């Protein structure tokens, strides 16, 4: 029977997926629904009469929903009989509206518009207590795939009694079964120290409501003859204070990380970790590893208000970006969340967690996305068992994704991280039939799906930011990096001026940032009331650095003279002068940016050169455009690589390796000269610092270096024509 | 001091440090003195009509010294004039050379310097650096092309484009630039009516910047007025904090001590547009009723005030009154 069903589901699946060709996210979930329907319909002869009071005339749409609910609801019902810990019925408010608010429509609905909140009538039906039939049916229907876990009352005691598809978000208080491998995965990423601080955070008063630990019931006592936790390795604590003390003592003690994780999973949070806790753990990971996410900056752009009188046009016309708008978008977290929730398709459940970044002026929104129509624990555990008919080990948790959105304070930019699969980089597991199921049901996240999620975000976020009569869209700013500091500097909020004045231009922007502290106070404010004649910035540097160098050198000289050492040869002197000069040039081109230790590095820069091939006929040496000069740079970079960096101290850390892939482009039409497409990719911990070092080392000619090599454009992806980054005007306009 | 000398920093190091600090202060003093002397009228008159060389020689001033003195004096004079313009006109221009060898227009860049005076001092100036994007050859290479394009470039050769700037993102620079410094039309037939107006652009930009700083200053004042009244007034509900809520500093979040929150929206120039205070801000109030508007509190806060400054004044007055009452 099960086999037959599997085939049935498979065929169904294939049919649909073939029909859709490229599946985007919503349609994917729709497919899961379809499969569910097939299963339940196939079962109907056996038990539908007992389960349903939905009349056969109901639409496919209605029946589909009802079936899903019934099958799931009955599981829950059964469990209610076993476990009385949580008698409360968790019905989300939107779905609980009784009656004809959402009557099932009689004609086939477009597939996008599925899974409306269900009728209350149906829910009541599921409450009927013919559990025995249900139990047998369900165990046969799900036969053995779920194994023991789902019937273990201890593990499921937090489950909401009724699960119905809903459009509400996932509640923070929802507990995830600690045996879920995802929980271990999330916790295991953290270090022991952060785990301990995290658990102490959970035990903090403010978080306690959403992260309550499992405590010993007050009635039981250790001195009782039969302590039910006697053979427990991690016995539950008696009180909160005791637990806090325990974790504090763990902090001071040495031990393994595993011990702490076991303590959390099997001991104090054996009844499950809430989504809130998991979110905290994830964000803790983000703090511990600030470069773990790759962020892309987007600018929020206002759109032209559409004229209301011609509505037909409105539908066809894409709204334009209002370049002349003087509106600065504003962001209000709670309103944003509310609107964003409305944008989420109903068969995806998301959990949101806002967090204030500890050091940077940012708010981070963590969105945890599950492919499930339910916002109860059912959604968390049984994704594949509903759909799969093989031993697909993947639960919905494995297909969940986490996306971070960062909102810098007072800024028209937002940063979106790349969506990450919870299961990490590991490919979807399962051999033989399992893998085929995984493929067939599309549970493995393909690049396309990640892209479509990104797309959904890019559509949903501006929609959530928009208000009536004020619409926004997101515009990519071709800056993607792992370094939030750099992002804040380039695409930051009110107090950053460097956004459009990078590289050497930053001398106009540095607001007593570094200078006010250690260097002379004079000259950094540039107030017009300062009567002192300013010395040009570079000469000052020269003076200072010259001083330094002269000090060093002079001392050496003097001592050298006093001792027997011969005076410096003219060659070395010249070399010293050269080096000094190179430093000056680097300073002119980079100013205070691109320093190794400034923590504002980008780790990858992609540049496409589309310049004319330097023809031999062009005689002027100065006319060599960037394509030639940068290919020279490239060669030199290679040289540099060969000679092993390290002559300038920290060179190895930020050595920039450039890989070039030259692909010949076809001849352009007519008189246009040949434009080969040259792609340059720079990798390194701090690309522009590396280039600066190369300039200082004399490997790149600092004076003839094209401007985009200084990073002054503030982009990590760019196209170069005529030696300049195209399209991006440098001002972010 | 009876305490033993700490081992780590030796007294000699400390002395060196202090001496270095002294040197830097003395150097800066010297600079200030130099510029003051050089810009004094008597010195300039002396430099323009120097006494006879024999007299100078007695004091050990050679013609080369005199020459360099004159040079410095002229520099100082130029600087003084620039400072004067910057102080009074607040918008000044200057020229920059773009270090990029491939820069358009041979790297000629026009800089716009905008001074903002707020909170009793000059802020660091804001800069807008513009280049003539259509002026022609980037390097000197595309001369052939330039000839072709010359016809339609004639008009736009002097058109400016914002190249770099240090304007914070909360000032709608791009919108202003699109209005007053539009890019040349991509096709020839397109709107001929487009004009660039640098003066207008600069004025409006400065206006926005000054407004922004004034709004910030007002919020600071408001906060100061609130923090000033630290005597606990027994009856009234005190405002705890005031923070700007958006990028443009047009909206203010107000937090009262009992957890109430409110929003004040001000216009471009600091006039009060809307004020809302919410009751029972979801905190531990316990009254299950959802949040609603609390007009009482708003009236108490704003009263007849039309501008945010009026609110600041009111708060200051009530604060002082409360202080007097407490004193009495």
């Amino acid at each position: 029977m099960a086999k037959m069903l599997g085939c049935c589901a498979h065929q169904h699946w294939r049919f649909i997926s073939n029909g859709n060709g490229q599946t985007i996210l919503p349609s994917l979930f729709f497919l899961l629904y379809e499969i569910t329907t097939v299963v339940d319909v196939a079962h109907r002869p056996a038990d539908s009469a007992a389960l349903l009071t939905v009349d056969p005339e109901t639409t496919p749409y209605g029946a589909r929903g009802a079936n899903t609910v019934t099958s799931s609801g009955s599981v829950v019902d059964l469990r209610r009989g076993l476990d009385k810990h949580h008698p409360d019925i968790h019905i989300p408010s939107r779905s609980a509206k009784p009656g004809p608010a959402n009557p099932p429509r009689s004609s086939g609905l477009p597939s996008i518009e599925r899974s409306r909140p269900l009728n209350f009538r149906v829910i009541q039906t599921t409450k009927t207590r013919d559990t025995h039939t249900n139990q047998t049916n369900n165990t046969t229907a799900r036969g053995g795939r779920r194994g023991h876990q789902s019937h273990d009352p201890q593990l499921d005691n937090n489950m909401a009694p009724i699960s119905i598809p809903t459009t509400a978000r996932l509640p923070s208080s929802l507990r995830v079964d600690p045996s879920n491998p995802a929980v271990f995965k999330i916790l295991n990423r953290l270090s022991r120290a952060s785990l301990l601080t995290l658990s102490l955070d959970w035990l903090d008063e403010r978080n306690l409501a959403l992260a309550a630990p499992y405590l010993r019931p007050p009635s039981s006592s250790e001195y009782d003859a039969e302590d039910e936790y006697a053979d427990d390795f991690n016995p539950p604590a008696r009180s909160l204070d005791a637990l806090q003390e325990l974790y504090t003592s763990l902090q001071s003690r040495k031990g393994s990380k595993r011990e702490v994780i076991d303590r959390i999973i099997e001991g104090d949070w054996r009844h499950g970790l809430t989504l809130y806790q998991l979110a905290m753990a994830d964000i803790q990971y983000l703090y511990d590893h600030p470069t773990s996410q790759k962020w892309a900056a987007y600018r929020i752009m206002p759109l032209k208000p559409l004229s209301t009188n011609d509505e037909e046009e409105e539908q066809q016309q894409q709204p334009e970006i209002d370049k002349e708008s003087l509106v600065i978008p504003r962001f209000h977290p709670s309103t944003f969340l509310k609107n964003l929730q409305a944008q989420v398709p109903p068969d995806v459940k998301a959990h949101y967690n806002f967090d204030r970044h500890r050091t940077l002026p940012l708010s981070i929104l963590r969105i945890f996305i599950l492919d499930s129509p339910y916002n109860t624990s059912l959604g968390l555990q049984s994704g594949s068992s509903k759909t799969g008919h093989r031993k697909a080990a993947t639960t919905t948790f494995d297909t969940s994704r986490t996306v971070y959105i960062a909102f810098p304070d007072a800024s028209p930019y937002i940063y979106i991280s790349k969506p990450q699969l919870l299961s990490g980089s590991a490919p979807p597991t399962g051999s033989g039939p399992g893998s085929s199921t995984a493929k067939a049901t599309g549970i493995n996240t393909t690049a396309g799906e990640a892209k479509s999620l990104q797309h959904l975000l890019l559509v949903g976020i501006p929609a959530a930011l928009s208000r009536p009569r004020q619409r926004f869209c997101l515009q990519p700013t071709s800056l993607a990096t792992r370094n939030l500091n750099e992002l804040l500097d380039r695409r930051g909020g009110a107090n950053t001026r460097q956004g459009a004045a990078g590289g050497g231009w930053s001398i106009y922007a540095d607001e007593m940032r570094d200078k006010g502290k250690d260097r002379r106070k004079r000259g950094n404010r540039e107030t017009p009331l300062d009567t002192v004649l300013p010395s040009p910035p570079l000469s000052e540097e020269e003076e200072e650095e010259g001083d330094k160098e002269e000090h060093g050198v002079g001392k050496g000289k003097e001592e050298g003279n006093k001792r027997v050492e011969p005076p410096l040869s003219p060659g070395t002197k010249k070399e010293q002068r050269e080096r000094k000069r190179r430093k000056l040039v680097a300073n002119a081109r980079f100013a205070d940016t691109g320093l190794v230790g400034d923590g504002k590095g980008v780790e990858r820069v992609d540049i496409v050169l589309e310049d004319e091939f330097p023809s031999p006929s062009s005689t002027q040496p100065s006319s060599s455009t960037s394509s030639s000069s940068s290919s020279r740079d490239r060669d030199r970079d290679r040289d540099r690589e060969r000679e092993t960096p390290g002559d300038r101290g920290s060179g190895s850390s930020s050595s920039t390796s450039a890989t070039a892939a030259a692909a010949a482009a076809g001849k352009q039409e007519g008189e246009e000269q040949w434009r080969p497409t040259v792609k340059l990719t720079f990798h390194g911990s701090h690309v522009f610092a590396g280039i600066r070092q190369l300039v200082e080392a004399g490997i790149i000619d600092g004076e003839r270096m094209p401007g985009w090599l200084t990073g002054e454009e503030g982009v990590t992806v760019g196209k170069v024509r005529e030696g300049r980054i195209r399209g991006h005007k440098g001002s972010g306009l | 001091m009876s305490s033993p000398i700490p081992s780590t920093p030796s007294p000699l190091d400390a002395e060196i440090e202090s001496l270095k600090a002294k040197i830097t202060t003395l150097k800066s003093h010297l600079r200030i003195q130099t510029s003051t002397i050089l810009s004094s009228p008597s010195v300039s008159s002396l430099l323009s009509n120097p006494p006879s060389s024999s007299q100078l020689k007695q004091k050990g001033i050679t013609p080369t010294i005199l020459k360099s003195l004159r040079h410095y004096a002229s520099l100082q004079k130029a600087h003084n004039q620039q400072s004067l313009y910057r102080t009074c006109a607040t918008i000044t221009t200057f020229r920059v050379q773009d270090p990029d060898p491939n820069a358009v227009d041979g790297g000629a860049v026009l800089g716009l310097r905008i001074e903002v005076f707020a909170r009793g001092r000059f802020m660091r100036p804001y800069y807008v650096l513009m280049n003539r994007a259509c002026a022609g050859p980037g390097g000197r290479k595309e001369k052939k092309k330039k000839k072709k394009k010359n016809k339609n470039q004639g008009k736009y050769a002097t058109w400016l484009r914002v190249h770099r700037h240090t304007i914070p993102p909360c000032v709608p620079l791009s919108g202003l630039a699109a209005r007053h410094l539009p890019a040349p039309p991509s096709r020839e037939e397109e709107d001929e009516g487009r004009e660039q107006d640098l003066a207008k652009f600069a004025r409006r930009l400065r206006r926005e910047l000054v407004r922004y700083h004034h709004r910030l200053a007002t919020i600071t004042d408001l906060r100061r007025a609130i923090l000033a009244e630290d005597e606990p007034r027994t009856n009234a509900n005190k405002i705890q904090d005031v923070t700007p809520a958006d990028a443009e500093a047009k909206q203010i979040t107000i937090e009262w001590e009992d957890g109430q929150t409110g929003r004040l929206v001000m216009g471009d120039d600091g006039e009060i547009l809307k004020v809302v205070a919410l009751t029972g801000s979801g905190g531990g109030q316990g009254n299950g009723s959802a949040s609603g508007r609390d007009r009482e509190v708003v009236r108490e806060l704003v009263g007849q005030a039309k501008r945010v400054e009026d609110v600041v004044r009111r708060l200051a007055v009530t604060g002082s009154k409360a202080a007097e009452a407490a004193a009495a």
Side-chain angles (χ1 to χ4, degrees), chain A residues 324 507 526 531 707 712 724, chain B residues 76 86 102 127 164 179:
Chain A
E324 302 194 351
I507 55 162
E526 285 196 37
T531 55
E712 62 186 44
R724 297 182 297 274
Chain B
Q76 181 70 45
R86 281 176 60 190
N102 301 311
Y127 294 96
R164 305 267 184 252
R179 287 182 189 199

Side-chain angles (χ1 to χ4, degrees), chain A residues 323-324 330 492-494 497 500 505 507-508 524 526 528 530-532 534 625 705 707 712 724 729-731 733, chain B residues 76 79 83 86 100-102 104 124-127 129 141 161-165 168-169 174-175 179 212 246 251:
Chain A
K323 281 184 186 150
E324 302 194 351
R330 201 168 52 78
R497 294 169 173 223
W505 301 99
I507 55 162
Y508 291 108
N524 56 32
E526 285 196 37
D530 190 2
T531 55
V532 174
T625 53
M705 175 178 68
E712 62 186 44
R724 297 182 297 274
K729 310 282 188 195
S731 54
L733 295 187
Chain B
Q76 181 70 45
H79 176 69
S83 293
R86 281 176 60 190
D100 188 350
N102 301 311
V104 287
R124 181 173 167 94
Y126 290 96
Y127 294 96
L129 301 154
K141 56 166 263 183
R161 196 200 63 190
V162 175
H163 180 48
R164 305 267 184 252
H165 66 86
S174 53
R179 287 182 189 199
Y212 168 67
D246 66 336
Q251 304 210 352

Side-chain angles (χ1 to χ4, degrees), chain A residues 10 13 28 32 384 387-395 399 427-446 449:
Chain A
H10 267 280
W13 167 261
L28 199 74
L32 297 186
S384 61
T387 60
H389 297 273
R390 304 284 162 83
K391 276 189 189 168
T394 44
T395 62
T399 63
T429 52
S431 55
S435 63
S436 73
T437 314
K439 245 174 230 162
T441 48
I443 277 170
N444 53 342
T445 305
T446 55
E449 195 186 329

Side-chain angles (χ1 to χ4, degrees), chain A residues 175-238:
Chain A
R175 285 187 189 276
V176 183
D177 181 19
S179 66
N180 196 322
V183 174
F184 180 75
K185 236 174 236 162
I186 289 177
L187 292 180
N188 198 32
R189 294 198 298 174
L190 297 170
S191 69
R192 180 186 148 95
S194 353
L195 265 178
L196 287 171
T197 37
L198 186 67
S199 38
L200 280 173
D201 274 353
W202 290 340
L203 296 173
D204 193 86
E205 235 177 90
R206 284 161 297 166
N207 298 326
L208 204 57
L210 289 172
Y214 187 87
L215 294 176
R216 196 184 285 258
S219 59
S220 77
S221 155
E222 265 180 292
Y223 310 109
D224 278 359
E226 52 208 73
D227 184 3
E228 57 177 310
Y229 303 110
D231 50 354
D232 208 331
F233 194 68
N234 291 310
R238 206 156 281 281

